[in-house]
Amino acid sequence: MDKEKERVILTGDRPTGRLHIGHFVGSLRNRVALQNEGKYKDMFVFIADAQALTDNMDNPEKVRQNVIEVALDYLSVGLDPDKVTMYIQSQIPELTELTFYYMDLVTVARLQRNPTVKTEMAMRGYRDSDGEEGDDNKKGMPVGFFTYPISQAADITAFMATTVPTGDDQKPMIEQTVEIVRRFNSIYGDTLVEPEILLPSNAASQRLPGTDGKAKMSKSLGNCIYLSETAEEVHKKVMSMYTDPLHLKVTDPGHLEGNTVFTYLDAFCTDDHIARYLPEYACLDEVKAHYTRGGLGDMKVKRLLENVLQETLEPIRNRRAGFEKDIPAVYEMLRQGSLKARETAADTLSRVKKAMKIDYFDDVDLIAEQARRYGSR
Ligand code: TRP
């Protein structure tokens, strides 16, 4: 059997805002390519609203409003409901049940060591989980937030996912999932499948910085270019992007390191783009060499990037406008996807409960053996 055809591909996004070009190069474009290659048994893409609530519990309206935004972004990049099951996490109650059982397989110390949890804890100003009340001016950390890696393991294993196309920041989550799978299988017998992360092939795509040059593109930092941005907005954002602060005159030698415009070009620009927009160069490396040497101005490089981004985003924006015309149909697509996803998750849950010996009513041997012991019927 062709191994690739046995793959189950699964990934998701938190609905806390519209998706941006960091999501696109980090995962969305990979998903569409995987979908179109068609070498998989199943493919699931979901909206992680329950996970979003773990640190937005005071803002349910934000999560609720962004479910449709993320769904529209999915459809507009080209995810096709005939090929991919798209659903809403909270509509699959089996996931919370799995999470509860997996909680017994993970220690508090292991969660505290999860690098993603650590970074996010710091970002949100949460006190350490062992921090005394009032030991500083940080906030107490909700248990649901602290344990979300366990729920993410449920998201993945409920569908027997083998392949998780996602950004580099999710690596610790997949590692933690693999540990849970191994521990579960060693205690209860071979039941769950170990997933693998599928990262984008180039470093620039794995972690796209914000337009201001800050390490991460994120809504809270206000340094995003959204997929649904108008052409005018894309223009403005590219023109005000962070480049090389030492490159003052065109003749000055430029630096590529930390130069966001070049990082974006690494993520987006192909030889075809160069041929179309800067035919005097053969490839991006030649543009870089000229910039480094001196004599190539930031404006010209920004114009190249703008052309590349406009060309990439225009079809996405146009498709979005089409789907926006029928919002009820988008919800219906998600409803059908959620029903279908639930069947798979329910199947896994019943295998898990059987392995854990909590399938009392289906276990005829258990009932017969106890009946015999008590001399009853
Ligand atoms: N944690 C992911 C994010 O913040 C979203 C997510 C939830 C996810 N469950 C998942 C991603 C399972 C991949 C697989 O983007």
Side-chain angles (χ1 to χ4, degrees), residues 10-14 23 31 46 48 51 89 120 148 151-153 155-156 164-166 169-170 173-174:
L10 175 141
T11 190
D13 304 273
R14 298 180 183 202
H23 296 112
R31 298 178 203 177
F46 73 99
Q51 186 176 105
Q89 185 188 28
E120 290 180 337
Y148 92 76
S151 112
Q152 190 152 337
D155 295 338
I156 296 169
V164 183
T166 187
D169 60 316
Q170 295 298 304
M173 297 293 157
I174 311 301

Side-chain angles (χ1 to χ4, degrees), residues 250 262 269-297 300-301 304:
V250 173
F262 279 98
C269 182
T270 62
D271 288 349
D272 259 17
H273 288 129
I274 298 285
R276 227 164 307 144
Y277 300 118
L278 278 185
E280 60 271 40
Y281 302 88
C283 59
L284 184 57
D285 281 343
E286 278 188 11
V287 181
K288 286 180 181 172
H290 191 183
Y291 188 81
T292 320
R293 208 163 54 232
L296 176 57
K300 198 161 168 183
V301 190
L304 167 66

Side-chain angles (χ1 to χ4, degrees), residues 40-155:
Y40 55 82
K41 189 163 105 214
D42 259 318
M43 183 160 170
F44 299 95
V45 174
F46 73 99
I47 301 175
D49 62 334
Q51 186 176 105
L53 286 168
T54 63
D55 74 329
N56 287 283
M57 57 307 252
D58 52 351
N59 202 350
E61 197 57 27
K62 169 168 133 193
V63 174
R64 176 176 142 100
Q65 293 302 333
N66 279 304
V67 167
I68 190 73
E69 299 300 335
V70 173
L72 286 166
D73 287 332
Y74 284 169
L75 294 167
S76 64
V77 295
L79 288 177
D80 175 352
D82 290 334
K83 298 180 182 149
V84 173
T85 306
M86 288 178 250
Y87 59 95
I88 306 178
Q89 185 188 28
S90 62
Q91 304 308 299
I92 320 295
E94 287 78 6
L95 298 176
T96 43
E97 213 174 321
L98 282 173
T99 303
F100 189 73
Y101 297 129
Y102 294 170
M103 282 184 170
D104 300 330
L105 306 175
V106 182
T107 64
V108 171
R110 175 62 182 88
L111 278 176
Q112 278 169 327
R113 279 198 309 271
N114 184 310
T116 309
V117 173
K118 270 181 154 169
T119 318
E120 290 180 337
M121 262 174 69
M123 260 163 54
R124 286 162 178 76
Y126 288 146
R127 203 182 295 137
D128 276 355
S129 54
D130 56 358
E132 296 279 305
E133 288 291 329
D135 62 351
D136 50 33
N137 50 20
K138 290 181 177 172
K139 295 179 284 185
M141 176 166 50
V143 174
F145 169 80
F146 183 54
T147 55
Y148 92 76
I150 305 176
S151 112
Q152 190 152 337
D155 295 338

